[in-house]
Amino acid sequence: MSNTASLKNVYKEQIAPALMKQFNYSTPMQIPVLKKIVVNQGLGMATADRKIIEVASNEMALITGQKPVTTVSKKDISNFHLRKKMPIGVMVTLRRDRMYEFLERLIRVALPRIRDFKGIEGKLDGHGNYTLGIQEQIIFPEINLDNIEKILGMNITFVTSAKTDEEGYALLKAFGLPFKESKK
């Protein structure tokens, strides 16, 4: 299987043994793994223009290589001109090889294209998971700048099997996510 993502092989050969040694795990089943990556775009302005959902869906498919699911509202909110079951966003859940390929493209190509990039914040959610907010979808090379109608942001959530933030941080740092150096 020569087409597997190189990050998957790096995890098996280098990251997992290093984490086992660092945290003194008694069994390889305790080593944290990256379970999935969820890419989400909330499009509140889609209540006024339904074409935005279609454009965002096409861009998300280009970025992730997988068809996104349209998310809908759960209830009516009159102040936002929102009705129940109205489309308000798109999301993709990446697992296995696609997840590793997306992570590799994010780390090696997309994040370095951010203007004045000095690293990402290292704040995890308390359970070893991390959410990265991106303001512009144009950092991904798959997006053609000539066809952009509106700059849209997205949230990228890394879901791990880590029990603590320290384990999750060590796992994501080992994959190569460029965290800012904390002042401890």
Side-chain angles (χ1 to χ4, degrees):
M1 208 163 151
S2 62
N3 63 352
T4 57
S6 64
L7 276 182
K8 187 175 184 179
N9 295 332
V10 168
Y11 174 78
K12 288 178 184 173
E13 296 167 4
Q14 298 171 1
I15 297 173
L19 289 174
M20 186 148 181
K21 188 175 183 181
Q22 179 182 352
F23 292 104
N24 296 321
Y25 295 128
S26 59
T27 174
M29 297 305 290
Q30 290 177 306
I31 301 171
V33 296
L34 188 60
K35 288 183 176 179
K36 62 185 175 181
I37 297 176
V38 180
V39 184
N40 179 35
Q41 277 187 323
L43 304 165
M45 76 280 285
T47 58
D49 186 10
R50 294 186 184 263
K51 186 179 171 201
I52 292 175
I53 293 286
E54 185 179 318
V55 170
S57 180
N58 291 337
E59 287 178 354
M60 183 80 74
L62 283 173
I63 291 169
T64 61
Q66 187 171 312
K67 187 176 186 283
V69 174
T70 303
T71 56
V72 295
S73 60
K74 294 179 181 174
K75 59 184 179 179
D76 296 338
I77 302 174
S78 63
N79 290 347
F80 298 127
H81 304 286
L82 187 65
R83 299 289 164 247
K84 190 173 187 176
K85 296 190 179 175
M86 190 179 247
I88 56 169
V90 292
M91 69 170 280
V92 171
T93 302
L94 300 169
R95 290 186 169 89
R96 298 181 195 86
D97 288 342
R98 279 199 182 133
M99 171 184 69
Y100 287 109
E101 289 167 7
F102 175 79
L103 180 61
E104 193 166 1
R105 281 186 289 126
L106 177 72
I107 293 168
R108 297 198 175 144
V109 180
L111 288 179
R113 293 180 69 175
I114 296 176
R115 266 179 303 200
D116 301 328
F117 184 68
K118 292 180 175 64
I120 56 178
E121 291 295 325
K123 183 88 170 109
L124 280 74
D125 70 346
H127 302 287
N129 304 319
Y130 179 71
T131 300
L132 169 66
I134 294 182
Q135 278 96 26
E136 302 174 335
Q137 83 276 27
I138 59 174
I139 65 168
F140 291 96
E142 296 87 3
I143 302 297
N144 186 355
L145 293 174
D146 297 334
N147 299 338
I148 295 295
E149 295 178 21
K150 193 166 186 88
I151 300 290
L152 302 170
M154 64 181 66
N155 289 334
I156 302 171
T157 303
F158 302 94
V159 180
T160 68
S161 65
K163 303 285 186 239
T164 65
D165 281 351
E166 184 183 357
E167 293 173 351
Y169 182 83
L171 173 67
L172 295 174
K173 182 92 172 155
F175 272 121
L177 278 177
F179 289 108
K180 290 180 183 175
E181 292 303 317
S182 60
K183 299 172 182 107
K184 290 184 180 178

